[in-house]
Amino acid sequence: MDRTTGASGFTGISGHVPLSPPTLADVAERAGVSRQTVSNAVNNPDLLRAETLVRVQRAIDELGYLPNRAARNLRTRASHLVGLRLSPVQEGTANAAMDRFVHSLVWTSREAGYHVLVFSGEGADPLEGYDDLVRSTAVDAFIVTDTYLGNPQATWLRQRRAPFVAFGRPWDDPEARHPWVDVDGAAGTELATRHLLDRGHTRIAWIGWRKDSRIGEDRRSGWSRALKERGLSTTGMASRVEDTVWSGRDASSHLLDEARPTAFVCASDTLAMGVLRTLAERGLHPGRDIAVVGFDDSQVAQVVYPGLTSVRQPLEEVAVAVVRALEDLLGVPTKVADGLLLTPDLTIRASSGA
Amino acid sequence: MDRTTGASGFTGISGHVPLSPPTLADVAERAGVSRQTVSNAVNNPDLLRAETLVRVQRAIDELGYLPNRAARNLRTRASHLVGLRLSPVQEGTANAAMDRFVHSLVWTSREAGYHVLVFSGEGADPLEGYDDLVRSTAVDAFIVTDTYLGNPQATWLRQRRAPFVAFGRPWDDPEARHPWVDVDGAAGTELATRHLLDRGHTRIAWIGWRKDSRIGEDRRSGWSRALKERGLSTTGMASRVEDTVWSGRDASSHLLDEARPTAFVCASDTLAMGVLRTLAERGLHPGRDIAVVGFDDSQVAQVVYPGLTSVRQPLEEVAVAVVRALEDLLGVPTKVADGLLLTPDLTIRASSGA
DNA sequence: CCGACCCAGTTGAACGATCCAAGGCGCCAG
DNA sequence: CTGGCGCCTTGGATCGTTCAACTGGGTCGG
C-alpha cells in the first residue's frame, strides 16, 4: 500500500488537492481495519459493531471518501444509470410535457440513487442509441416514452432482455408484461368537457389527431363520453388533423362555420393555439365568445393572453411511479402492479370563461 | 477460459440471449488471436496487419461485442460522461433555451463519444449534486450554464480541479481561465432594434431585467447602442423588471402611457408576452399598431398569434463549440481559444410588422 | 467433551479492460 | 550468419470494489 497520493485529505479543507481521490484502502488504513470492513460500513452498516462503525465513519468523513463508481459498477454489474431518450424537439409546437417530465424524473431518480443518462435518437432509426448503451452495459435500464403507434422500442428492448419502464400504455399489445405508467387522457378530456358543460355550453367541438393515433383517440373518447352522458350528439362536431397550429386554425375555422360550436376541446395546446388564432382573426374573444381548452398545460398555455385552460398531466406522480417500478425491476422483486393509470386535472384559466 | 456464457452470440439473431455480454476474451478466442490483439484492434487499429484486423473485426461483429464500460472506465480513469445540471423549470415563463440546448448538446456529444448525464440542483444549494459526481468520479467534466450573477459554481469547480466548460461568459471575473462559449446578447438586441428602425420606428422602448443582471444589461446595451447610432434618445424609454408576464404587462402599460413608443424590444419572450397582453387589453394589434420583439425564439413565440419576432440564439453552434472545448480539455491539448462569442440572428414574424 | 453456530472481522480472488515489458517467429538486408 | 523489423503472443500488474470463504474465539445444547 504505498500509494503516494490520497492520504492527505480530499476535501477542500487542506491546502492542496491530491491528484486522485481516496480509495477504500486509504480509509481502511486510516481507520485501522480491513478494506472489506470499510466496504461493509458503507453497504451493510449493521454487520459492524457500533464502535467500529463510528471509527470507520470518521475516517470516511475526514478523507471525504466516496466509492469509485467505475470500480463498483464493474463488480456489481450495474451502473445505477437509467437511459432516457429525448424525443426530437418539435419546433412550432407547444410541446412541454417532456421537459417537465425529465425534470421530475431526474429529481425522483436521484432520491432513489439513480442518475439519468439522456441520449437522442434524432436519426431515422428510433432504435439508434439504445444499442450502444445496452451492449456496453452503460445503463441498467431505460425509460421509454413513446409507446404509441406500434413503436418498435418496447419489442426490441424486450428481445434484448433490457429492462425498461414505459411512460405510456402498451396500446397495441395487451399481452405486454413490462411495467408501465400512464395518464388517463380520456379522463382529462372528460373533465375538460364536463367543465364546459357545467358552464352552460352544449355545443362543444373536438379537435384531435389523426385516427391512427391511439393517444388521440383515447383523448377523444373522453370528450364524446361526457357529451353522450348528457344526451348530446357528437356528430359533425369533431375534426382530426395534424398537430400543428395551422391545422388547428383551419379545423376550428371550418367547425365554426359548419357546426357553430360555442366551445372547443383540443388534444393539445398546439391545436388550441390554432383555435385562438381563428378567434383572433375573427375578432372573437376567447372565454367570452368562445371557450377553448387545451391539453398539457404547456408554457404557452400559461403565458398566452388571456390564459389557456388546459388539462395537466401529473408528471411528478408519473416520475415517482416510474422510479418505483424501476426499483422493483432492478432490485428486490416487490412486484407491484404491472401497469398504473393516473388521473390528470384541469388548470382553469380565462379561455374557458372568466 | 471456461465461461459458460457469451460464446453463443449476443445479437438477437440466435434463438436465445445469454446472460452476460461477450468479453474481450470471447472475441479473442473466436478470432483466434490474443486479448491484447483484440484490444489493439479496438483502440489502435493501425498496429494490426490489415488481414488480422478484418478477422478480429468480423468476430467483434458476430458476437456483437462492445467493451464493457465499467471495466474500461476503471482502467482509464475516465467515464466519457459529461454532467449537465438542469436549471429548475420556471412555470409561467416562456423559457425554451435550455430545452433546445440540451438536445443540441446531447446530439453533438454523442458524435464526440460522450454521453450526457443530467442532474438537478433544485434544492437551496446550487452546488448540491455536483459534489457526489465529482468525488465518485462519475463524470469527466461538467457543462455549466448559469455563470452570471456571481454564480459560485465556476469558482467551486475550479477549486475541486473539476474540468468544466461554461455556456456563458465569466462576467464577474475577467481573470477566469476556463473555456467558455456565449452568445452576444447585445448583438441580438441591436439586430432587433435596427430591424425596427429600418421599418420606420423611432420611438422604441426597452423592457428588460433588473439592473444586477449582467445578461440583462448586456442585452439592453444593444438596444441603446442601435438607438444612439441614429441619434435617438433612450431616456424614459426603458423599464427594468422581473422576468414574468405580469411585469411585462405592467411595464409596457406604463411605457405606453408615459413615453408613447411605437415598438418594444424585450429581454425575453416572457416579457414580450406581457406586452402582447397589454396590447390585447387595449384593443391594439401587434405588428400593425405596435411592434414587439422578444428574445429566445421560444415555442411561445412560434405559436402565439400573430407570431412573435424574436432573437434566436444559435444553440446548435454553441453546443458544437462547447463539445470542442470539452475535447480540448480532456483529450489532447490543442488549446483553441479560451472564450468564444457567437452571434444570434432574428426570426421575423408578424409582431414586428406584417 | 464435542460439534454446531454466531460474531466481527480478515484474506484472496474475482469483475473486464488496458497497459507494459519481454519475447517468439518469420523474413529480409547487410 | 547476424541483426533488425513487423506483427503478434504471453504473462502479469493495475484500476477500486465486492463476494465467498475462512479465522479465531466464545456460547450453547446434548
Side-chain angles (χ1 to χ4, degrees):
Chain A
M1 280 309 103
D2 59 347
R3 294 174 80 260
T4 50
T5 62
S8 57
F10 181 62
T11 61
I13 300 169
S14 70
H16 78 290
V17 180
L19 290 166
S20 54
T23 71
L24 257 193
D26 295 328
V27 177
E29 195 185 9
R30 188 179 189 105
V33 295
S34 70
R35 288 173 342 223
Q36 184 62 43
T37 301
V38 179
S39 175
N40 286 337
V42 175
N43 301 313
N44 300 82
D46 38 339
L47 288 183
L48 301 204
R49 215 177 4 158
E51 186 198 344
T52 319
L53 182 57
V54 170
R55 208 165 75 246
V56 174
Q57 196 52 252
R58 189 168 51 229
I60 288 178
D61 292 340
E62 285 169 359
L63 293 176
Y65 167 79
L66 234 87
N68 177 301
R69 293 238 176 197
R72 169 175 280 183
N73 293 349
L74 175 60
R75 190 64 241 238
T76 62
R77 301 167 160 287
S79 64
H80 282 264
L81 250 46
V82 296
L84 174 69
R85 175 175 165 275
L86 294 182
S87 39
V89 183
Q90 303 266 356
E91 300 267 341
T93 69
N95 193 343
M98 192 64 180
D99 202 30
R100 256 179 69 215
F101 178 61
V102 172
H103 273 84
S104 302
L105 186 69
V106 167
W107 175 253
T108 317
S109 301
R110 206 181 81 103
E111 305 267 286
Y114 288 95
H115 280 278
V116 176
L117 177 83
V118 294
F119 61 101
S120 75
E122 309 271 330
D125 184 5
L127 297 179
E128 192 191 5
Y130 283 101
D131 211 38
D132 295 356
L133 295 172
V134 169
R135 302 225 311 276
S136 63
T137 59
V139 303
D140 292 346
F142 289 97
I143 310 288
V144 177
T145 54
D146 304 322
T147 54
Y148 55 87
L149 267 178
N151 193 308
Q153 293 166 32
T155 314
W156 188 88
L157 287 171
R158 188 164 40 243
Q159 278 174 2
R160 304 276 162 148
R161 294 242 196 295
F164 69 102
V165 177
F167 174 16
R169 274 160 278 186
W171 294 99
D172 302 315
D173 182 10
E175 310 281 305
R177 277 282 154 273
H178 66 263
W180 57 265
V181 181
D182 204 356
V183 175
D184 190 344
T189 48
E190 189 174 356
L191 199 61
T193 310
R194 286 231 190 87
H195 163 68
L196 294 169
L197 288 166
D198 290 346
R199 294 193 147 274
H201 293 275
T202 55
R203 305 189 61 74
I204 305 174
W206 169 257
I207 302 180
W209 298 322
R210 293 186 343 226
K211 204 157 191 169
D212 54 0
S213 160
R214 311 298 300 259
I215 296 180
E217 288 304 282
D218 180 50
R219 293 185 184 176
R220 184 182 185 282
S221 71
W223 161 80
S224 67
R225 198 191 314 157
L227 285 187
K228 284 173 181 157
E229 201 177 71
R230 307 257 180 133
L232 297 168
S233 163
T234 60
T235 44
M237 277 293 188
S239 184
R240 284 185 261 232
V241 297
E242 297 290 315
D243 190 40
T244 70
V245 175
W246 293 104
S247 303
R249 192 206 80 103
D250 293 346
S252 55
S253 191
H254 269 101
L255 282 166
L256 274 180
D257 292 338
E258 308 292 329
R260 308 227 154 264
T262 62
F264 287 91
V265 178
C266 303
S268 74
D269 282 352
T270 306
L271 292 172
M273 287 306 291
V275 178
L276 291 190
R277 182 172 283 259
T278 294
L279 299 188
E281 286 169 358
R282 300 190 175 202
L284 295 171
H285 193 91
R288 202 185 58 204
D289 304 322
I290 300 279
V292 186
V293 179
F295 202 110
D296 259 356
D297 200 18
S298 62
Q299 292 186 325
V300 176
Q302 297 169 17
V303 304
V304 75
Y305 176 81
L308 177 64
T309 296
S310 192
V311 176
R312 185 179 174 94
Q313 303 197 52
L315 299 179
E316 297 76 14
E317 288 175 50
V318 172
V320 169
V322 163
V323 170
R324 195 168 311 160
L326 209 59
E327 290 183 283
D328 199 61
L329 205 60
L330 299 177
V332 285
T334 330
K335 213 52 197 166
V336 284
D338 258 353
L340 177 63
L341 200 57
L342 299 171
T343 309
D345 57 5
L346 191 66
T347 305
I348 296 173
R349 297 198 183 83
S351 74
S352 61
Chain B
M1 277 310 103
D2 59 346
R3 294 175 81 258
T4 51
T5 63
S8 56
F10 181 62
T11 60
I13 298 169
S14 69
H16 78 291
V17 180
L19 290 165
S20 55
T23 70
L24 252 197
D26 296 327
V27 177
E29 193 185 9
R30 185 176 190 106
V33 296
S34 67
R35 286 179 341 227
Q36 183 66 55
T37 303
V38 178
S39 176
N40 284 337
V42 175
N43 301 312
N44 299 82
D46 37 340
L47 288 183
L48 301 204
R49 214 181 0 158
E51 185 197 342
T52 318
L53 183 57
V54 169
R55 210 166 73 245
V56 174
Q57 196 52 251
R58 189 167 50 227
I60 287 178
D61 293 340
E62 284 168 0
L63 292 177
Y65 168 79
L66 263 170
N68 178 302
R69 291 235 178 200
R72 170 176 277 182
N73 292 349
L74 177 59
R75 186 67 239 245
T76 61
R77 300 168 162 286
S79 65
H80 282 263
L81 248 46
V82 295
L84 175 69
R85 175 175 166 277
L86 294 182
S87 40
V89 183
Q90 303 265 354
E91 300 268 341
T93 68
N95 193 346
M98 193 62 181
D99 202 31
R100 258 179 67 216
F101 178 61
V102 172
H103 273 84
S104 302
L105 187 67
V106 166
W107 175 254
T108 316
S109 301
R110 206 181 81 102
E111 305 268 285
Y114 288 95
H115 281 278
V116 176
L117 177 85
V118 294
F119 60 101
S120 74
E122 308 271 330
D125 184 4
L127 297 179
E128 192 191 4
Y130 283 102
D131 209 39
D132 295 357
L133 294 172
V134 169
R135 303 226 311 276
S136 64
T137 59
V139 302
D140 292 347
F142 289 97
I143 311 289
V144 176
T145 55
D146 303 322
T147 55
Y148 54 86
L149 267 178
N151 193 309
Q153 293 167 31
T155 314
W156 188 88
L157 287 171
R158 187 162 43 242
Q159 277 173 2
R160 302 277 160 145
R161 297 241 196 293
F164 70 101
V165 178
F167 172 18
R169 276 160 275 186
W171 295 100
D172 301 316
D173 182 9
E175 309 281 304
R177 276 284 153 274
H178 66 264
W180 57 264
V181 182
D182 204 355
V183 174
D184 191 344
T189 49
E190 188 173 359
L191 199 61
T193 310
R194 286 230 190 86
H195 163 68
L196 294 169
L197 288 166
D198 290 347
R199 294 194 148 273
H201 293 275
T202 55
R203 304 189 62 75
I204 304 174
W206 168 257
I207 302 180
W209 297 323
R210 296 188 338 230
K211 205 157 191 169
D212 54 0
S213 159
R214 310 298 300 261
I215 297 180
E217 288 305 282
D218 180 49
R219 293 185 183 176
R220 184 181 185 283
S221 72
W223 161 79
S224 69
R225 200 194 311 158
L227 285 187
K228 284 176 180 151
E229 202 177 72
R230 307 258 179 131
L232 296 168
S233 164
T234 60
T235 43
M237 277 292 188
S239 183
R240 284 185 262 231
V241 296
E242 296 292 314
D243 189 40
T244 70
V245 176
W246 293 104
S247 303
R249 192 207 80 104
D250 294 345
S252 55
S253 191
H254 269 104
L255 282 165
L256 275 179
D257 291 338
E258 308 292 328
R260 310 226 154 263
T262 62
F264 287 90
V265 178
C266 303
S268 74
D269 282 352
T270 306
L271 292 172
M273 286 307 291
V275 178
L276 292 190
R277 184 171 282 259
T278 293
L279 299 187
E281 285 169 357
R282 300 190 175 200
L284 296 171
H285 194 91
R288 200 185 59 205
D289 304 322
I290 300 280
V292 186
V293 180
F295 202 108
D296 258 356
D297 199 20
S298 61
Q299 292 185 324
V300 176
Q302 297 169 16
V303 302
V304 75
Y305 176 81
L308 177 63
T309 297
S310 192
V311 176
R312 186 179 174 93
Q313 303 197 51
L315 298 179
E316 296 76 14
E317 290 175 50
V318 172
V320 169
V322 163
V323 171
R324 195 169 309 160
L326 208 59
E327 290 183 284
D328 200 61
L329 206 58
L330 299 176
V332 284
T334 331
K335 213 53 197 167
V336 284
D338 258 353
L340 177 63
L341 200 57
L342 300 171
T343 309
D345 58 5
L346 191 67
T347 305
I348 297 172
R349 297 198 182 84
S351 74
S352 61

